[in-house]
């Protein structure tokens, strides 16, 4: 699978599973899952060159762990159901395993958002959750999607959790939570 096509498939799958399932004819259950076979149908209709192994490859080898595959719901390797691990704008309830959360997390953003984040804290904006990163480098790269000069915010995840707020690990290095009030943020 050539890298341009891999990116095309990855972006399409992310969009379909996070933001516009209905527009492409997919139905997500309340936990965000949809049948792998139905995704294959949608993808092969749309991309004449694509076969199910391409989708498998993209789902299984995503560097950020963007997708989850539940094989137990189907027979064999192809089958079962898949969902996006994070990033949703559609309303889903992602059940999750209890995984440890580092005491310090990071968020990268654009300078133009900083004033508003100072007063309102981090809000989910167009998504269901606020997305945080486990490392400075990852956060800067997330911020780099919005600007050429990302700003790094340090999140006191330990205190946030001690105060009763839930933080959940999703994908390889993403942590989601409902909101981060600015008192938990350290600005540069
Ligand atoms: C900002 C990608 C003003 C926030 C990434 C961000 C991530 C505020 C933007 C995942 C604000 C929303 C999510 C406030 C937050 N006032 N601006 N009160 N609160 N913002 O794209 O975190 O590669 O929805 O700082 O890597 O950038 O697609 O969120 O700049 O993991 O898998 O509002 O998506 O993952 O932008 O990115 P986004 P994000 P993938």
């Amino acid at each position: 699978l050539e890298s341009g096509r891999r990116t095309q498939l990855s972006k399409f799958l992310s969009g379909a599973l996070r933001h516009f399932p209905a527009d492409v004819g997919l139905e997500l259950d309340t936990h965000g899952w949809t049948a792998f076979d139905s995704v294959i149908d949608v993808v092969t209709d749309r991309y004449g060159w694509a076969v199910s192994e391409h989708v498998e490859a993209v789902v299984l080898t995503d560097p950020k762990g963007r997708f989850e595959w539940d094989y137990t719901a189907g027979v064999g390797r192809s089958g079962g159901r898949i969902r996006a691990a994070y990033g949703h704008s559609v309303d889903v309830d992602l059940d999750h395993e209890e995984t440890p959360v580092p005491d310090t997390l990071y968020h990268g953003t654009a300078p133009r958002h900083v004033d508003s984040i100072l007063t309102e804290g981090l809000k989910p904006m167009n998504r269901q959750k606020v997305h945080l990163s486990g490392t400075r480098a990852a956060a800067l790269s997330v911020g780099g999607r919005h600007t050429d000069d990302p700003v790094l915010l340090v999140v006191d995840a330990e205190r946030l959790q001690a105060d009763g707020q839930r933080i959940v690990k999703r994908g390889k290095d993403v942590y989601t939570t409902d909101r981060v009030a600015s008192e938990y943020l350290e600005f540069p």
Side-chain angles (χ1 to χ4, degrees):
L1 181 55
E2 168 264 320
S3 96
R5 287 183 164 179
R6 162 182 287 273
T7 306
Q8 230 180 337
L9 276 190
S10 170
K11 289 206 157 108
F12 176 72
L13 290 174
S14 293
L17 298 171
R18 293 170 177 180
H19 309 302
F20 46 78
D23 294 353
V24 299
L26 289 175
E27 201 176 327
L28 309 189
D29 75 7
T30 52
H31 304 300
W33 295 107
T34 194
F36 184 77
D37 291 342
S38 61
V39 174
I40 298 303
D41 288 345
V42 164
V43 167
T44 50
D45 273 0
R46 192 180 179 94
Y47 302 101
W49 47 264
V51 295
S52 72
E53 285 78 8
H54 293 144
V55 179
E56 290 183 18
V58 168
V59 167
L60 291 174
T61 64
D62 185 87
K64 292 174 77 175
R66 289 179 175 93
F67 310 103
E68 294 176 2
W69 195 340
D70 174 18
Y71 304 100
T72 62
V75 182
R77 197 167 112 101
S78 289
R81 46 188 197 163
I82 62 172
R83 70 177 176 186
Y86 60 89
H88 298 80
S89 58
V90 294
D91 186 9
V92 290
D93 168 21
L94 300 176
D95 40 83
H96 62 275
E97 290 154 35
E98 298 294 332
T99 42
V101 173
D103 289 345
T104 303
L105 291 172
Y106 305 92
H107 180 85
T109 192
R112 64 181 181 279
H113 296 322
V114 169
D115 280 350
S116 147
I117 295 171
L118 261 171
T119 51
E120 304 180 315
L122 288 172
K123 302 200 295 189
M125 308 308 279
N126 293 326
R127 302 185 197 261
Q128 295 289 316
K129 301 281 178 187
V130 167
H131 290 66
L132 306 172
S133 303
T135 64
R136 286 168 189 271
L140 284 170
S141 127
V142 171
R145 292 161 42 258
H146 303 289
T147 175
D148 288 338
D149 50 350
V151 175
L152 184 78
L153 309 180
V154 180
V155 181
D156 189 344
E158 185 181 24
R159 194 156 57 86
L160 202 55
Q161 292 183 103
D163 290 348
Q165 201 174 313
R166 175 179 225 176
I167 304 175
V168 172
K169 183 171 188 197
R170 308 282 324 156
K172 288 202 209 299
D173 184 49
V174 170
Y175 296 83
T176 62
T177 194
D178 288 335
R179 229 190 135 118
V180 183
S182 74
E183 60 180 290
Y184 301 99
L185 295 171
E186 192 184 298
F187 293 81

